[in-house]
Amino acid sequence: MNLKADRGAATRERVLAIATRLFAERGYDDTSIETVLQETGLSRGALYHHYAGKDALFEAVLEATESAIGARIADAVRGVADPAAALRTGALAWIRLAGDPVIRRVVLIDAPSVLGWERWRAMEERYSFGMLKAALKAAGTVPREHLDVYAHMLLGAINESALLVARGGATATAEAAVEDFLNRLLKTP
Amino acid sequence: MNLKADRGAATRERVLAIATRLFAERGYDDTSIETVLQETGLSRGALYHHYAGKDALFEAVLEATESAIGARIADAVRGVADPAAALRTGALAWIRLAGDPVIRRVVLIDAPSVLGWERWRAMEERYSFGMLKAALKAAGTVPREHLDVYAHMLLGAINESALLVARGGATATAEAAVEDFLNRLLKTP
DNA sequence: GAAATTACCGACTGACAGTCGGTTTGTCTA
DNA sequence: TAGACAAACCGACTGTCAGTCGGTAATTTC
């Protein structure tokens, strides 16, 4: 079980890479399985052997993307001791990452409606949202009982500004505004 | 031009009401035009005579919904003199409205991906976002150059908590958290 | 009363996601 | 090492759906 398993894994990876590009370029709806087949050179049967359906393929793309984002933000934050500063650094890193069309289209726009809010939230929990909540807790300026709602609101706010930047807004202004926003929020009242 | 125009308008309204219900119950993708035809008793040709396509129908539904939301929030805020208080009142009203499945599904989940971020933003600008920005400006505690980004972040935050409540989260906790959130944000630094 | 406009009809088309009964090709075991 | 087994891969086929188009009927306009 080696040559064969490897071939399967390689195929899955190839499909994933191509599907990622297509989903980012055209969005979920305007990407046909037909196109994925053409670009990968695979047959219908082969594709459906590896991925249960179009949603499953999208979910795999999303999972890989979220994972990559998580790693890059973790990199940016590494070595920042102060929790509030880490939160700020992480948020700014995330905003800059949102310039990437894959992240914008796949993660910020299509994911909630394709997966449904439930599954989308579950995935976010494992990645960006989870990190954010932990950081917020470490900062210690938010009452325990509001932690969850706060983390949601904060993520919503940051994602929204990320979309704004991604849409061609002024990056510098947005970053300054986000810093200001966070400073106000994280101050002990 | 009366009997005829009236009949047309009545048909459009009937379709709109039924489509609204279907989109809210099943979401955009899982609502087929076929079903709309069955439930309205209309023919294909007639439907496409009134609405250019499925997106156009959805957009009409969204427009009507947003307009209704705007009116209800304006109602809630009417008579509140202090801008900051009005902002708080409006935000809480919005969160409560988000319990409605039509609003949750159509406005918060499907709209961005069906219309595309561009057209979605343009519509929000005319309704909730426009109101929010005006209120924020009136409050006067946010630097002018950050007003736009701030309004976006705030709307993102509020929408997110609205989704949380709509998904069955604790309403009271969420409302308290939102109040706290807004209080921190609106304080002059 | 004729021309124009509007509401409405339904068969048809093309695109697409997903299915299914295969064949081929490595892998494990008796 | 033969033969069972499973995984990778194939492509014709099906059902569903959005959208089109050449109509008819009814009403308004001139």
Side-chain angles (χ1 to χ4, degrees):
Chain A
M1 209 52 136
N2 208 334
L3 202 164
K4 222 174 165 181
D6 284 356
R7 225 165 34 133
T11 301
R12 267 189 297 279
E13 240 174 87
R14 202 171 81 248
V15 171
L16 205 64
I18 287 173
T20 300
R21 181 170 55 77
L22 290 172
F23 282 143
E25 279 173 7
R26 321 176 174 197
Y28 180 80
D29 274 338
D30 291 347
T31 301
S32 70
I33 291 290
E34 227 77 43
T35 311
V36 176
L37 296 181
Q38 274 171 27
E39 303 240 344
T40 52
L42 230 59
S43 74
R44 256 189 136 57
L47 183 80
Y48 278 94
H49 173 71
H50 290 294
Y51 294 97
K54 202 181 168 185
D55 332 3
L57 181 55
F58 181 84
E59 195 165 353
V61 165
L62 181 63
E63 178 94 40
T65 306
E66 290 262 23
S67 168
I69 293 172
R72 291 190 61 179
I73 292 186
D75 272 0
V77 169
R78 195 186 321 286
V80 181
D82 176 46
L87 202 54
R88 219 177 44 206
T89 307
L92 294 181
W94 168 221
I95 288 176
R96 285 187 200 115
L97 283 175
D100 182 343
V102 176
I103 293 173
R104 182 168 72 233
R105 180 81 222 205
V106 173
V107 178
L108 295 174
I109 297 181
D110 282 340
S113 90
V114 174
L115 267 67
W117 195 74
E118 208 68 41
R119 276 157 74 206
W120 175 72
R121 180 154 149 37
M123 189 170 287
E124 284 274 296
E125 193 96 28
R126 280 187 290 134
Y127 294 105
S128 41
F129 180 73
M131 284 173 72
L132 179 65
K133 201 158 124 188
L136 203 57
K137 192 174 180 183
T141 55
V142 170
R144 196 173 308 280
E145 68 271 22
H146 291 167
L147 207 63
D148 206 66
V149 187
Y150 248 81
H152 267 94
M153 290 194 287
L154 203 45
L155 188 62
I158 294 173
N159 282 354
E160 200 57 35
S161 72
L163 269 172
L164 200 61
V165 170
R167 257 301 308 145
T171 314
T173 311
E175 289 184 6
V178 168
E179 278 213 55
D180 184 24
F181 193 90
L182 284 175
N183 284 340
R184 290 183 191 216
L185 268 186
L186 296 180
K187 212 162 274 172
T188 21
Chain B
M1 208 55 134
N2 209 334
L3 202 163
K4 224 173 162 178
D6 284 356
R7 226 168 30 138
T11 302
R12 266 189 298 278
E13 238 174 89
R14 203 172 81 246
V15 171
L16 206 63
I18 289 172
T20 300
R21 180 171 55 77
L22 291 172
F23 282 144
E25 279 172 10
R26 323 177 173 197
Y28 181 80
D29 274 339
D30 291 347
T31 300
S32 71
I33 290 291
E34 228 76 44
T35 310
V36 176
L37 295 181
Q38 275 171 27
E39 303 241 343
T40 53
L42 229 59
S43 73
R44 252 189 141 58
L47 183 83
Y48 278 95
H49 173 70
H50 290 292
Y51 295 98
K54 200 179 168 186
D55 330 5
L57 181 55
F58 180 84
E59 196 167 352
V61 166
L62 182 64
E63 179 93 40
T65 308
E66 291 261 22
S67 170
I69 294 172
R72 292 190 61 177
I73 292 184
D75 272 359
V77 168
R78 196 187 321 286
V80 181
D82 176 46
L87 202 56
R88 218 177 44 205
T89 307
L92 293 182
W94 167 223
I95 288 176
R96 285 186 201 116
L97 283 175
D100 182 344
V102 176
I103 293 173
R104 181 169 73 233
R105 180 80 221 206
V106 172
V107 178
L108 294 174
I109 298 182
D110 282 340
S113 91
V114 174
L115 267 67
W117 197 74
E118 208 68 41
R119 275 158 75 207
W120 176 73
R121 180 155 149 36
M123 187 168 289
E124 285 275 295
E125 193 96 28
R126 280 188 291 133
Y127 295 104
S128 43
F129 180 72
M131 285 172 69
L132 180 65
K133 203 158 125 188
L136 203 57
K137 193 175 180 183
T141 55
V142 170
R144 195 175 308 281
E145 68 271 22
H146 290 168
L147 206 64
D148 206 67
V149 187
Y150 248 81
H152 268 94
M153 288 194 288
L154 204 46
L155 188 64
I158 295 172
N159 282 354
E160 200 57 35
S161 72
L163 269 172
L164 200 59
V165 170
R167 258 299 308 146
T171 314
T173 311
E175 288 184 7
V178 168
E179 279 214 53
D180 184 26
F181 193 89
L182 284 174
N183 284 340
R184 290 184 192 216
L185 267 186
L186 296 179
K187 212 162 272 172
T188 22

